[in-house]
Amino acid sequence: MTTSATTPAHPGRMLFVNIPVADLERSKAFFAKLGFGFNPKFTDETAACMLVGEHAFVMLLTREKFAEFAKLPMADPTTHTLALYCFSVSSREEVDAVSATALAAGGTEVDGAEDYGFMYSRSFYDLDGHGWQVMWMDPAAAEQGPEAFAASAQDADAPA
């Protein structure tokens, strides 16, 4: 008998993404400027539990703490991309505001804005070189899916 995760995901499922940081306090200050909070129950001198969504968290771990969990050598995020992290905001304007705040707090811009009509995003590297994208997606596109949304938008623009 094969055991698998609950399908679909059970309502209380939580997601924890663990990333290594060189200076935990510096990273906490950076992400606090972007509006993220931290759960004090899971935050100490080696780790900070950053609240990203209702059941989604990023664990900022000192490199030493991260190494306790990782079984393979740790990659340097300034020279190798292992993952890209993306979070949504509520408007296009908020994408620009969060991105500007990240850059003002010491982050580095990856590239300019990407505008797909139904989705708008900007990307930056955090203080450790991890790649982040802040994005907004039209709620109808999120509900319907991008292709169905594009088709319905074309139908609405077609002459009657």
Side-chain angles (χ1 to χ4, degrees), residues 3-154:
T3 303
S4 63
T6 307
T7 306
H10 69 84
R13 178 168 289 162
M14 296 184 283
L15 172 68
F16 291 87
V17 175
N18 300 282
I19 64 173
V21 298
D23 183 328
L24 185 59
E25 291 305 316
R26 181 180 75 146
S27 291
K28 285 171 52 181
F30 175 82
F31 286 107
K33 288 177 184 172
L34 302 186
F36 290 104
F38 298 90
N39 182 336
K41 294 178 186 172
F42 298 99
T43 299
D44 61 21
E45 65 281 349
T46 65
C49 181
M50 186 168 75
L51 309 169
V52 177
E54 188 174 350
H55 299 291
F57 311 89
V58 170
M59 295 297 297
L60 304 174
L61 304 175
T62 63
R63 290 181 180 178
E64 296 77 19
K65 185 69 167 181
F66 186 87
E68 291 177 20
F69 295 108
K71 304 305 178 210
L72 297 173
M74 194 178 326
D76 180 349
T78 64
T79 61
H80 293 81
T81 300
L82 186 57
L84 298 172
Y85 310 99
C86 179
F87 61 93
S88 64
V89 294
S90 61
S91 68
R92 291 171 172 266
E93 295 76 22
E94 192 175 357
V95 167
D96 290 332
V98 170
S99 181
T101 300
L103 300 180
T108 305
E109 189 169 34
V110 173
D111 51 24
E114 295 183 75
D115 191 344
Y116 298 99
F118 70 94
M119 185 175 84
Y120 178 74
S121 66
R122 294 180 100 76
S123 299
F124 61 89
Y125 294 118
D126 69 16
L127 303 177
D128 288 282
H130 299 289
W132 292 84
Q133 182 181 58
V134 55
M135 58 83 75
W136 166 84
M137 184 179 293
D138 184 295
E143 180 71 27
Q144 298 173 15
E147 290 178 13
F149 176 75
S152 68
Q154 284 179 343

